[in-house]
């Protein structure tokens, strides 16, 4: 398990990747790492959902 500082860095890196539009496969952490979960959380905060774009066009 990572330290609090490592977790904050992972969330921040995930947010930055989401803002850039990077695919989730760029996550640098192994699947067994808590830091991967933190990275994905940050990534998900910034990436728009594909369904949102479709609904916005339909409204």
């Amino acid at each position: 398990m990572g330290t609090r500082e490592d977790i904050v860095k992972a969330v921040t890196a995930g947010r930055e990747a989401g803002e850039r539009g990077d695919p989730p496969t760029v996550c640098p952490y192994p699947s067994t790492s808590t830091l991967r979960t933190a990275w994905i959380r940050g990534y998900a905060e910034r990436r728009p959902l594909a369904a949102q774009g479709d609904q916005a066009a339909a409204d």
Side-chain angles (χ1 to χ4, degrees), residues 12-56:
T12 301
R15 286 179 183 147
E16 292 169 354
E19 288 174 356
R20 287 191 304 266
D22 294 345
T25 55
V26 301
C27 179
Y29 303 104
S31 62
T32 57
S33 174
T34 302
L35 295 176
R36 182 179 183 90
T37 303
W39 188 94
I40 290 171
R41 177 172 285 165
Y43 181 85
E45 288 177 6
R46 296 296 193 246
R47 283 294 286 172
L49 297 175
Q52 286 179 343
D54 295 340
Q55 287 180 357

